[in-house]
Amino acid sequence: MNITKEQIDELNAIIKVDIAKDDYQDKVVSILKNYRKTANIPGFRKGHVPMGLVEKQYGMAVRVDEVNKLLQDALSKFLSEEKLDVLGNPLPKNQENFDWSVDDFSFEFELGMAPKFDINLKPKKAIVAYDIYADDKTIDNQLKTIQKQYGKLTSQQEVAKDSEVTGVFVNESIELDNTATFEIAQLKGKKNVDAFIGAKVGDVITVKTKGLFSEAFSYQNAFKKTEDEAKDLNAEVTFTISEINSRELAEFDQELFDKLYGKDAVKTVTELKEKMKEDAGRQFQQQSDQQLMNNVTEHLIEATKFDLPAEFLQKWIQSSGENPMTLEEATEEYNRSEKGLRYQLIEGKIIQENNLQVTFDELKGYTKDMIKMQMMQYGQMNPEDKELEDIAARILGNKEEVKRLSEQLMNQKMLTFFKENVNLKTKKVTFDEFVKEVYN
């Protein structure tokens, strides 16, 4: 057997594999002899079938199977020994009039080579890392929400400015049929408020979706759509009232504090605010970390310049999918996934050069910590290590869970690496300022 590689350019190569009869013949003969011992062919006793008949019936299939096995093993070994950094898998070149009846074979495969590139983690213009904090306005709004949530509902005969109404929004043409509850104070504009004031249970009110509410979250609640989608919709909808209530705000007393944080954990409104700021800080940290990952990822994709073997990858996508694809469909899929592929290569280089691989011990420790936190939420504050080990072993026995947890742990490692190595500029903002900057 002989294997050679021809480099077409920096990103493309051809591998040629020559297989001679001597490479596979002994194995084929051995298999056919075993077939002869077990073959059931009418007119012959078991084990006494003439070898020529066995070869005629099974010889070609066995030869093809053994040559393909040799071919795949040889390719895998060659790529490993030569340490070739390839994208996708080798693609067999179309060889017209290929003849399996000859003794010697020659196969050719296309390779897409991974590009070489450098990564700049210290851009001149620093990447923004948001430090989101809960300002007094945010905390006050949360306090009001808590008071409403734990407050007492009182039924009303007709809608007033302090009312909370429940009903169904309907518009058949846009397939809208959604039950929603909202406060009259959430409505935007005097015209919309006036449409509801004085209405009773059973009344049907007609309004436009565009500009109906003051806050974006209200659109999701009412129409199961974002504010922008509702604006573009600009549909006329009906709202049939089923309930009208006023909500008496709950008092901040020890009973409410205990409901929120457990017995005697909080004793004053001042302590409650501090707890809420801590909770908000943890929630905001997750959002700021995710945005940092987004910002760094976008920078690395834009700033790290390299070519890809696009034509090869398009053909590989076309041939590797579960369902048949045209070349045009494969090209579209490549264009959609190109950014993701570029980041995979950049991330892989960072992981390799900085030894950020996830070890099994790290994964087990991460899994045990996750289990411990979940158990603490249910009051098990000090679980025994053996119990954690047993639960972790069950979880890590599931391949899908291992993949999911490994990805989570690698994301943590990458985030820590970026915080320590990328040129960052910290920007302290309120949550409203963060939303305005990032999402508007």
Side-chain angles (χ1 to χ4, degrees), residues 143 252-253 257 266-274 276:
L143 289 173
F252 284 119
D253 54 21
F257 296 151
V266 170
K267 295 185 177 180
T268 66
V269 173
T270 301
E271 290 180 8
L272 176 61
K273 287 183 177 181
E274 289 304 313
M276 290 169 64

Side-chain angles (χ1 to χ4, degrees), residues 9-28:
D9 54 39
E10 287 187 1
L11 298 174
N12 295 276
I14 299 291
I15 287 183
K16 185 177 180 181
V17 184
D18 295 321
I19 297 178
K21 184 176 182 179
D22 289 345
D23 296 321
Y24 63 83
Q25 185 62 16
D26 288 347
K27 185 69 174 175
V28 169

